[in-house]
Amino acid sequence: MDIPQELRKLGLKATLPRLRILQLFQESKSKHMNADDVYRLLHDEGIDMGLATVYRVLMQFADAGILIRRHFESVASVFELNEGGHHDHLICTNCGKMEEFLDAEIEQRQEAVARERNFVLHEHSLSLYGFCGDCAETLKPGMGKRFRRN
C-alpha cells in the first residue's frame, strides 16, 4: 500500500509526523497505544509535536478508518491499526496489559444469541476484564485469590 497516496485520497497531507505516527503503529510491539504513548515515542525520537496535535492526528486516522479507536473501562482511549479483521480483548485491570483473541465458539454463540432475540448484528465488541497472570501472582492476600494460577 502506498501510504502517502492513501492519505491524500482521504484528504490528509502526507506529512513526516503523520507518516511517522503510522509507522509507530506498524512497528510497535504494543498493538494498542493512546495519545500519550505516541507522544512519548515521538518525543524520544526528537520529533517536536504537541500532545494535542498527536491526538488530532490519531482522531483523523480513526475517522478515515486507518486506525480504530477503542474505549476500555479504566484506561484512556487507545488506538490500533485497522487491519480489517475482528478480534476481542482481554484487559488487565491492574497493569493495563491488553491481549487480543479470537474464539470461533464465542463468535458463533454471540450470533446465535442475537438471532434468538431477533437482532441482526452489524458489529460488536467483547472486552473481558480481569488480572493477567503476572498481576494475579503478585496481588495482596485476599485480592483476587480466585484468579491465581494453580
Side-chain angles (χ1 to χ4, degrees), residues 91-149:
I91 299 120
C92 179
T93 56
N94 190 53
C95 72
K97 177 181 179 180
M98 289 183 214
E99 294 215 7
E100 297 177 355
F101 72 96
L102 182 60
D103 184 299
E105 289 181 48
I106 291 173
E107 296 301 317
Q108 290 169 2
R109 185 65 190 126
Q110 289 175 117
E111 288 287 337
V113 167
R115 269 193 316 277
E116 290 164 6
R117 289 161 177 79
N118 200 27
F119 272 78
V120 177
L121 297 179
H122 56 86
E123 69 177 86
H124 77 276
S125 65
L126 176 64
S127 301
L128 302 175
Y129 298 90
F131 300 113
C132 68
D134 292 338
C135 289
E137 296 280 334
T138 61
L139 289 173
K140 293 178 185 173
M143 289 185 60
K145 283 184 183 177
R146 64 179 203 230
F147 298 108
R148 289 182 189 259
R149 286 188 255 164

Side-chain angles (χ1 to χ4, degrees), residues 25-122:
F25 278 92
Q26 292 168 333
E27 297 167 357
S28 177
K29 289 180 182 176
S30 173
K31 291 187 173 197
H32 304 90
M33 292 189 283
N34 64 32
D36 289 326
D37 298 330
V38 173
Y39 172 79
R40 277 193 296 279
L41 290 170
L42 292 172
H43 181 74
D44 291 348
E45 293 180 3
I47 297 174
D48 186 27
M49 182 185 281
L51 181 59
T53 302
V54 168
Y55 188 76
R56 187 171 55 252
V57 169
L58 293 174
M59 290 303 298
Q60 289 171 338
F61 287 167
D63 290 343
I66 297 168
L67 296 178
I68 298 172
R69 182 180 182 196
R70 304 277 187 195
H71 305 275
F72 298 117
E73 292 178 29
S74 74
V75 295
S77 291
V78 295
F79 297 84
E80 63 181 299
L81 274 178
N82 183 355
E83 296 175 319
H86 170 77
H87 59 267
D88 298 309
H89 296 89
L90 288 162
I91 299 120
C92 179
T93 56
N94 190 53
C95 72
K97 177 181 179 180
M98 289 183 214
E99 294 215 7
E100 297 177 355
F101 72 96
L102 182 60
D103 184 299
E105 289 181 48
I106 291 173
E107 296 301 317
Q108 290 169 2
R109 185 65 190 126
Q110 289 175 117
E111 288 287 337
V113 167
R115 269 193 316 277
E116 290 164 6
R117 289 161 177 79
N118 200 27
F119 272 78
V120 177
L121 297 179
H122 56 86

Side-chain angles (χ1 to χ4, degrees), residues 1-21:
M1 170 177 25
D2 182 2
I3 292 174
Q5 185 176 343
E6 292 298 315
L7 289 176
R8 285 191 289 276
K9 278 188 204 174
L10 296 167
L12 300 172
K13 291 181 182 175
T15 63
L16 289 177
R18 278 193 179 126
L19 293 173
R20 184 62 191 130
I21 288 173

